[in-house]
Structure formats: C-alpha cells, structure tokens
C-alpha cells in the first residue's frame, strides 16, 4: 500500500525560534496518523537537528533537507553534501523544486545527479516536477513533465525508483493561491503513474507516492487528496501556520 504524505516546505522562512514554536504547536495538536501516512518537515539546514529532536519518538514523522549538492565532498564552499546530511540522520531530501530550477539554474541532468547521490546513500529524494504557465496554456504539460521524468528519474533501477517520492507542482500554482483543479491534478498524477508503469511496470507504479504541490490549503486539501492518484501534498505557505498544517495532515486518506 503506497504512503500518503503531508510534506511541509518551509523554504527560506521563519527564524529558529519561530520554527521551534511552529513545531511545538503542530505536535501539540491532535493528529491521527494511520500506518500508511507520513508527515515530513522540510526545514532550512540550520534547523534540521532541532526539528529532529522535536520529532524524536514521533511515529511516521520525519525531517527533510531542502537541497543537497551533487558531489560527495570537496571544495564547494557553501554547499551541503549528502554525507553531511546522512551523518546527522536525515532520511529525505527535496530535489528539483521549481524555485531551485528558476533561481539557481538547476536542470534535469544536474537534478538527476543529486538523485543518484541520494539513493546511493540510502536517502529518499522527493523529486519535484511541474510545468510553467505558458506550457499549460499550450496544453503541452504532459510532454514537459514527461521529459523531466525521463531526464531525471528514468535511468534509476526498479529498486531505486521505488525509494523515490514524486511531487507534481505546477509552477503557476506555487505560492499564487491558484490551485490546480482536482481534475487537472488527477490527470497529471495519472499521467505520471502511467509513465512509471510503462517504464517499470504496474506493480512499481502503484507503489510510488505522487504528491500534489501548489497552494494546498486547509480548505482544499481534503478534496485534492481524495483523487485516486494524489497521495498527499507538498505544502509551502500553509505549512507555516500550525492549525492549517494540522488540518492538512488530517486530510490525508
Ligand atoms: C511549495 O513550496 O512547494 C509549494 C507548493 O508552495 P505553496 O503551497 O505555497 O504553493
């Protein structure tokens, strides 16, 4: 049974103290996590250890880094390696977020190298894909996302792809308050699952969690998550508000 996941993406927000307070508030609220449901907090690098300590002993709750570099170690000032993350017990890393692609020129090839280094070191990548508005307007989103999958993921072995989480995030819906309709989300998730099935077979495709990201809020999460191929969400803005994120966690199916 594939995992249903509520993943918070704090991006470059909150001070250390605000982050601590947010986690305290979320953890104090009643959440009802089933065996197949996970919560992942993707926090800034300086807060990773603090977040891990807060989640210590909490079943099905994990901390993720928001990025890592594609090299093992060396003279790359300012970068963070997978070995560093592993050495503090991190198990998940968000890769290929559209903000990394846009502001730091990350391309499919570079992201695939980061995915490789994660999987080689037993860390689960949360691979983000999704089209910009002009692609959606020309109705070529399947080709666009298909290419992202082919160039960054489809070189993986079946065992490796099974360890990967995918987040479909239409760029026009990120931080804009404009959510994809349920139908748009379901269509793309089904397309992604179908591409995985063509490459790796149905059994594997059915095991991979595909999250939706793009203005998931407390008042729309349940509806979006109810779609057959939507296995939860990657949540930016609403993950910074304790009550809202708790509602989103409780909306998982
Ligand atoms: C994101 O950070 O990946 C995201 C989807 O942000 P938001 O929920 O704010 O649109």
């Amino acid at each position: 049974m594939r995992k249903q996941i509520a993943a918070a993406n704090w991006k470059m927000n909150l001070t250390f103290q605000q982050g601590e307070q947010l986690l305290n508030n979320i953890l104090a609220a009643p959440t009802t996590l089933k065996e197949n449901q996970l919560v992942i907090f993707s926090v800034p690098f300086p807060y990773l250890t603090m977040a891990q300590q807060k989640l210590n002993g909490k079943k099905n709750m994990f901390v993720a880094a928001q990025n890592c570099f594609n090299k093992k170690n060396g003279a790359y000032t300012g970068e963070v390696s997978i070995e560093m993350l592993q050495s503090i017990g991190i198990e998940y890393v968000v890769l290929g977020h559209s903000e990394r692609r846009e502001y730091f020129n990350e391309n499919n090839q570079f992201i695939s190298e980061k995915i490789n280094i994660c999987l080689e070191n037993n860390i689960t990548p949360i691979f983000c894909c999704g089209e910009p508005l002009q692609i959606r307007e020309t109705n070529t989103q399947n080709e666009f996302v298909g290419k992202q999958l082919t160039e960054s993921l489809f070189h993986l072995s079946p065992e490796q792809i099974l360890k990967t989480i995918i987040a479909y995030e239409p760029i026009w819906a990120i931080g804009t308050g404009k959510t994809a309709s349920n139908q748009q989300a379901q269509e793309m998730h089904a397309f992604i699952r179908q591409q995985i099935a063509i490459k790796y077979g149905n059994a594997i495709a059915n095991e991979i969690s595909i999250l939706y990201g793009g203005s998931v809020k407390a008042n729309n999460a349940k509806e979006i998550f109810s779609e057959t191929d939507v296995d939860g969400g990657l949540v930016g803005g609403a993950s910074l508000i304790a009550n809202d994120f708790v509602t989103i966690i409780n909306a998982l199916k």
Side-chain angles (χ1 to χ4, degrees):
M1 194 181 196
R2 62 180 182 255
K3 299 268 187 275
Q4 303 295 310
I5 303 170
N9 180 15
W10 289 5
K11 314 192 188 197
M12 198 178 73
N13 289 303
L14 307 176
T15 61
F16 186 89
Q17 291 74 17
Q18 289 168 333
E20 271 193 309
Q21 192 56 54
L22 176 59
L23 283 175
N24 287 342
N25 293 343
I26 292 170
L27 296 176
T31 45
T32 48
L33 285 181
K34 297 185 201 141
E35 206 51 48
N36 69 319
Q37 296 175 336
L38 300 185
V39 179
I40 300 176
F41 293 92
S42 171
V43 307
F45 289 126
Y47 309 169
L48 288 170
T49 303
M50 174 276 285
Q52 281 177 310
Q53 283 163 0
K54 295 258 175 232
L55 299 188
N56 192 16
K58 301 276 174 203
K59 205 165 162 256
N60 291 5
M61 291 197 175
F62 299 91
V63 179
Q66 295 181 9
N67 187 25
C68 72
F69 200 44
N70 66 337
K71 301 282 190 296
K72 200 166 180 283
N73 51 34
Y76 303 103
T77 303
E79 289 298 332
V80 172
S81 74
I82 211 70
E83 203 174 68
M84 292 172 187
L85 296 174
Q86 204 181 34
S87 69
I88 59 163
I90 293 297
E91 295 171 76
Y92 296 87
V93 177
V94 175
L95 291 176
H97 193 282
S98 62
E99 289 149 17
R100 302 277 337 155
R101 293 175 189 264
E102 181 178 352
Y103 304 126
F104 303 95
N105 295 323
E106 294 195 7
N107 61 24
N108 292 342
Q109 173 58 34
F110 184 58
I111 295 161
S112 84
E113 291 169 14
K114 295 185 186 205
I115 287 183
N116 291 346
I117 204 160
C118 274
L119 289 165
E120 282 158 15
N121 291 280
N122 222 18
I123 289 188
T124 298
I126 302 173
F127 169 73
C128 304
C129 56
E131 79 286 355
L133 185 60
Q134 59 273 31
I135 294 289
R136 174 62 65 168
E137 282 172 347
T138 54
N139 202 26
T140 51
Q141 62 274 8
N142 287 4
E143 290 79 351
F144 188 91
V145 172
K147 189 167 189 288
Q148 290 180 320
L149 296 171
T150 306
E151 294 185 356
S152 294
L153 281 192
F154 285 176
H155 62 285
L156 297 176
S157 68
E159 295 71 31
Q160 288 177 318
I161 194 98
L162 267 173
K163 281 212 68 181
T164 303
I165 296 168
I166 297 175
Y168 167 60
E169 301 206 301
I171 299 171
W172 44 273
I174 298 179
T176 58
K178 196 176 164 190
T179 324
S181 68
N182 280 14
Q183 192 193 341
Q184 285 171 323
Q186 170 55 27
E187 273 172 13
M188 180 55 84
H189 283 231
F191 169 75
I192 293 171
R193 206 177 299 288
Q194 180 202 45
Q195 297 308 297
I196 302 170
I198 291 168
K199 175 82 188 165
Y200 296 97
N202 279 329
I204 289 182
N206 281 329
E207 279 303 308
I208 294 181
S209 301
I210 308 176
L211 317 186
Y212 169 79
S215 298
V216 172
K217 304 288 177 204
N219 62 7
N220 61 19
K222 198 153 194 98
E223 209 187 323
I224 299 173
F225 296 172
S226 69
E227 292 294 338
T228 320
D229 287 294
V230 177
D231 305 311
L234 178 57
V235 186
S239 74
L240 302 173
I241 304 162
N243 286 343
D244 289 10
F245 193 59
V246 168
T247 304
I248 290 168
I249 294 171
N250 288 328
L252 289 172
K253 64 172 175 273

